[in-house]
Amino acid sequence: MFTLADLTEGVRTSLYSSVCACIHPTSCCSVAEIMSVLFFHTMRYRPEDPRNPNNDRFVLSKGHAAPVLYAVWAETGYLKESDLLNLRKIDSTLEGHPVPVSDTHLPHVSSCSLYRVYCLLGDGELSEGAVWESMAFASYYQLDNLVAILDINRLGQSDPAPLQHHMEKYQRRCEAFGWNAIIVDGHSVEELCKVLGQPRHQPTAIIAKTVKGKGIPAAEDKMGWHGKPLPKDMADSVLKELNSRILNNNKRLYPPTPMDDAPPVSVRNIRMPSAPNYKPGEKIATRKAYGLALAKLGRYNERVVALDGDTKNSTFCEIFRNEHPNRYVECYIAEQNMVSVAVGCAARDRNIVFASTFATFFTRAFDQLRMAAISESNINLCGSHCGVSIGEDGPSQMGLEDIAMFRAIPTATVFYPSDGVSTEKAVELAANTKGICFIRTSRPENAIIYNCNEDFHVGQAKVVYKSNDDQITVIGAGVTLHEAVAAAEQLKKERINIRVIDPFTIKPLDAKTIIDNAKATRGRIITVEDHYYEGGLGEAVCSSVVNEPGFSVHRLAVAHVPRSGKPAELLKIFGIDKDAIIQAVKKMMGSSANAK
């Protein structure tokens, strides 16, 4: 009879068959039995349809063990064994660390009732704080469909892991975080089958004692082999030994299939039921407009889900929570985990996910954000309390690097709305835009400047103030757009006309509108932003006009680490208020006159 033990040897055989490309064989070998039991005994899924919403979910957190995942898929028939020989090659879908081509390494969440999530972690990554953020979160919410398998193979990349094979210490740590923690022999198929088949009433950690390089006599439990392919003679020897132990290697086990109970859903064309309802001149903070817009969107779209990091009474996400408590998740002060949860909720395109906190706190989760982009995730993030305009809370709470951070993420769209109308439009557009969307919102209340029927698009700027004889184009966003409009009104009294542009999205930036309007003002541009100089609006504008002859850009931004103070005081001190814009306009005009 063909058994799981035979299959494990088959998985190892697939691994060694691709030895010339397999860069982490020892890390893969420590989990061969775990992967075999998971994929051919425990998990319910359709191997021909990895994205099926009824499937159990598998998360390969120890991503360098990608070859063992590919070997398992070869055993299921989803991949050809010959595909394994192309691992890490430029024309292969089998990356060195898995990406969504195989769609098997992401945390997937859907609405079906019976799926389980299995996450395989290495002992080295248990030094990461994000792991323990997620364990605390899972325990708090009693996620009894979540199973973490800890591969305790003792050896890291350059040193042994801190706890090595002290299994009871791992167990006590997991139990302290509220998990049911079970120690097993990670190379015993029988023990793994038994423990993975047990009913669960809380999140479970299976702490598997394993040997790095299991099955490779020269490398078993030895330092110095991490990330190294086996020499061909060693691989041939191991393969010969494995083949002699597999009695029926022409047979295949099939995984249990899931029940089809996930209803079909669509997250396309998520729209607001009506236009914004604001009056011109009415004052509202864009952070509050975000909360109102999100609740409105959720009112007519049941796939909209909201997360927040214990700032919901400041980001105004609490409006959504109060209206739709069953679709709100409180993530508390654990931003790395919040972004990861958002990625999971958005996977398989079954939910539209918004997550909010102070803009500055997203810097804590940059690794999760960049991995979300690599994973082709569609998540929407709102960062409130941006810039010095938040006032007395001080620099630790002021988002002054966030535009630079999100501009650097390949799939990101960066919205920077300046009033309640544009904020509501940004929320609606984000819900329908692929990739990572970041909406930057402000604390101060500012006047409504747009008509409620104004049409907005990603990458389309708005000219909010102009005349036929404008001298300079001023570009501002958020609070600085209002300062620019105030400056334009003051300068008009002095018979100096300037053009004011609201970019709406910083990425993509509407270069055409900026260039066309700047040409009308002799190529003279001033940017003003509540952000550090580096990576913000000013640099985005400079990049967009760099090839335009005769253009000059003067930038106003926050030059150094700020301090507490009243918003108006801070805008003035850092030279990004109305008076600073007026002074910059006159200086640029004077310079142009002198140049003639």
Side-chain angles (χ1 to χ4, degrees):
M1 178 180 180
F2 190 56
T3 67
L4 277 169
D6 291 324
L7 185 68
T8 299
E9 303 305 329
V11 171
R12 293 187 192 279
T13 301
S14 295
L15 273 172
Y16 300 142
S17 296
S18 58
V19 66
C20 294
C22 184
I23 303 301
H24 289 276
T26 56
S27 295
C28 294
C29 288
S30 67
V31 295
E33 287 85 2
I34 293 170
M35 294 291 284
S36 298
V37 172
L38 275 175
F39 276 78
F40 297 96
H41 170 269
T42 305
M43 292 201 308
R44 294 180 174 273
Y45 66 101
R46 300 182 186 279
E48 75 282 0
D49 183 15
R51 292 183 63 86
N52 190 297
N54 299 285
N55 287 350
D56 284 346
R57 286 36 166 167
F58 174 69
V59 183
L60 181 61
S61 190
K62 52 174 289 178
H64 60 280
V68 75
L69 176 62
Y70 304 146
V72 166
W73 280 117
E75 290 295 325
T76 68
Y78 183 70
L79 294 177
K80 297 177 182 177
E81 193 162 316
S82 58
D83 292 338
L84 303 180
L85 299 175
N86 296 318
L87 175 67
R88 295 162 61 106
K89 292 182 180 179
I90 190 66
D91 56 350
S92 171
T93 60
L94 305 185
E95 300 274 0
H97 287 64
V99 292
V101 172
S102 60
D103 195 36
T104 54
H105 70 294
L106 293 177
H108 293 307
V109 177
S110 77
S111 61
C112 62
S113 61
L114 296 178
Y115 75 89
R116 295 185 182 276
V117 179
Y118 299 88
C119 182
L120 178 61
L121 301 96
D123 48 3
E125 69 182 295
L126 296 180
S127 293
E128 288 277 6
V131 171
W132 302 99
E133 281 189 10
S134 64
M135 292 191 78
F137 177 88
S139 172
Y140 177 78
Y141 284 108
Q142 286 294 290
L143 303 182
D144 58 4
N145 66 337
L146 177 60
V147 179
I149 301 105
L150 313 185
D151 174 29
I152 311 300
N153 65 26
R154 194 181 76 82
L155 301 179
Q157 176 171 331
S158 63
D159 259 327
L163 299 185
Q164 298 200 38
H165 272 153
H166 294 289
M167 309 302 288
E168 291 75 15
K169 290 184 179 180
Y170 283 111
Q171 184 178 38
R172 289 196 295 271
R173 289 187 180 186
C174 293
E175 288 174 345
F177 275 79
W179 285 55
N180 177 31
I182 307 167
I183 297 172
V184 298
D185 176 354
H187 298 300
S188 169
V189 168
E190 293 75 15
E191 283 192 42
L192 289 166
C193 287
K194 181 179 179 181
V195 73
L196 283 166
Q198 290 179 1
R200 289 174 283 273
H201 305 287
Q202 65 190 108
T204 297
I206 297 174
I207 307 167
K209 185 176 183 179
T210 62
V211 176
K212 195 164 186 174
K214 178 72 172 177
I216 310 172
E220 279 192 4
D221 200 34
K222 290 182 174 64
M223 290 297 305
W225 283 96
H226 185 93
K228 293 183 180 179
L230 299 185
K232 191 174 186 307
D233 59 343
M234 185 185 297
D236 288 343
S237 174
V238 174
L239 270 173
K240 184 178 180 180
E241 173 64 21
L242 279 172
N243 285 325
S244 71
R245 297 205 302 261
I246 300 178
L247 300 177
N248 300 293
N249 60 7
N250 62 334
K251 294 186 179 180
R252 175 170 290 154
L253 287 181
Y254 293 93
T257 57
M259 294 179 63
D260 292 324
D261 74 329
V265 300
S266 174
V267 293
R268 295 183 179 181
N269 200 30
I270 302 295
R271 301 298 178 191
M272 290 290 187
S274 60
N277 185 25
Y278 293 104
K279 298 178 181 178
E282 176 186 356
K283 287 193 171 184
I284 187 171
T286 53
R287 61 173 177 146
K288 184 173 184 179
Y290 165 78
L292 291 167
L294 185 61
K296 180 179 178 180
L297 189 70
R299 208 173 298 147
Y300 294 91
N301 299 277
E302 64 178 12
R303 306 309 303 182
V304 175
V305 177
L307 292 69
D308 194 272
D310 194 33
T311 56
K312 57 185 174 291
N313 56 342
S314 292
T315 62
F316 284 91
C317 188
E318 66 178 1
I319 301 173
F320 184 98
R321 192 279 307 267
N322 293 341
E323 286 195 28
H324 318 290
N326 293 333
R327 286 185 275 136
Y328 172 81
V329 182
E330 177 56 65
C331 295
Y332 299 98
I333 304 174
E335 291 81 10
Q336 295 180 64
N337 185 63
M338 181 177 74
V339 172
S340 296
V341 172
V343 171
C345 288
R348 302 197 184 187
D349 299 324
R350 295 182 66 82
N351 297 298
I352 299 294
V353 184
F354 286 81
S356 53
T357 186
F358 287 13
T360 192
F361 297 157
F362 279 117
T363 60
R364 299 172 178 172
F366 185 70
D367 180 42
Q368 284 71 25
L369 293 169
R370 64 177 290 275
M371 287 306 301
I374 291 170
S375 301
E376 301 175 6
S377 180
N378 301 312
I379 57 174
N380 307 298
L381 309 167
C382 178
S384 73
H385 290 64
C386 63
V388 298
S389 57
I390 75 166
E392 291 87 347
D393 281 347
S396 70
Q397 311 298 295
M398 297 171 175
L400 289 161
E401 317 85 357
D402 51 309
I403 295 177
M405 180 175 70
F406 281 98
R407 281 185 66 219
I409 295 174
T411 67
T413 299
V414 180
F415 294 90
Y416 196 173
S418 298
D419 76 343
V421 173
S422 56
T423 301
E424 185 166 318
K425 293 292 186 177
V427 169
E428 183 179 36
L429 286 167
N432 294 279
T433 300
K434 292 291 186 182
I436 296 173
C437 291
F438 176 62
I439 303 172
R440 192 178 204 236
T441 63
S442 305
R443 188 178 189 181
E445 294 184 347
N446 287 118
I448 299 296
I449 58 175
Y450 291 110
N451 184 288
C452 286
N453 293 318
E454 184 78 23
D455 198 21
F456 286 83
H457 299 279
V458 172
Q460 184 180 88
K462 299 287 185 182
V463 180
V464 298
Y465 204 98
K466 67 179 292 187
S467 73
N468 292 328
D469 59 346
D470 292 329
Q471 304 296 306
I472 291 172
T473 295
V474 178
I475 305 171
V479 296
T480 63
L481 179 70
H482 294 271
E483 295 293 326
V485 170
E489 292 173 345
Q490 177 62 39
L491 286 165
K492 186 177 181 180
K493 296 175 183 177
E494 303 177 34
R495 297 186 179 181
I496 300 172
N497 293 314
I498 64 172
R499 191 161 299 188
V500 180
I501 292 178
D502 171 11
F504 182 57
T505 56
I506 310 299
K507 181 185 178 183
L509 190 70
D510 186 354
K512 184 179 186 305
T513 294
I514 291 171
I515 291 169
D516 289 348
N517 283 276
K519 284 179 178 178
T521 61
R522 305 173 193 176
R524 296 180 295 201
I525 299 173
I526 294 173
T527 64
V528 54
E529 59 189 308
D530 198 359
H531 187 275
Y532 288 135
Y533 275 92
E534 294 77 14
L537 170 63
E539 285 198 351
V541 170
C542 286
S543 296
S544 72
V545 303
V546 66
N547 294 320
E548 296 296 321
F551 273 44
S552 60
V553 181
H554 180 71
R555 296 186 291 148
L556 303 177
V558 179
H560 54 82
V561 176
R563 56 172 299 163
S564 295
K566 295 184 182 301
E569 294 174 332
L570 291 166
L571 292 175
K572 186 175 187 64
I573 288 171
F574 288 96
I576 56 173
D577 68 345
K578 175 188 75 172
D579 293 338
I581 297 169
I582 291 172
Q583 184 178 352
V585 167
K586 291 179 177 178
K587 183 177 180 180
M588 182 172 266
M589 290 180 64
S591 298
S592 299
N594 292 335
K596 293 179 181 179

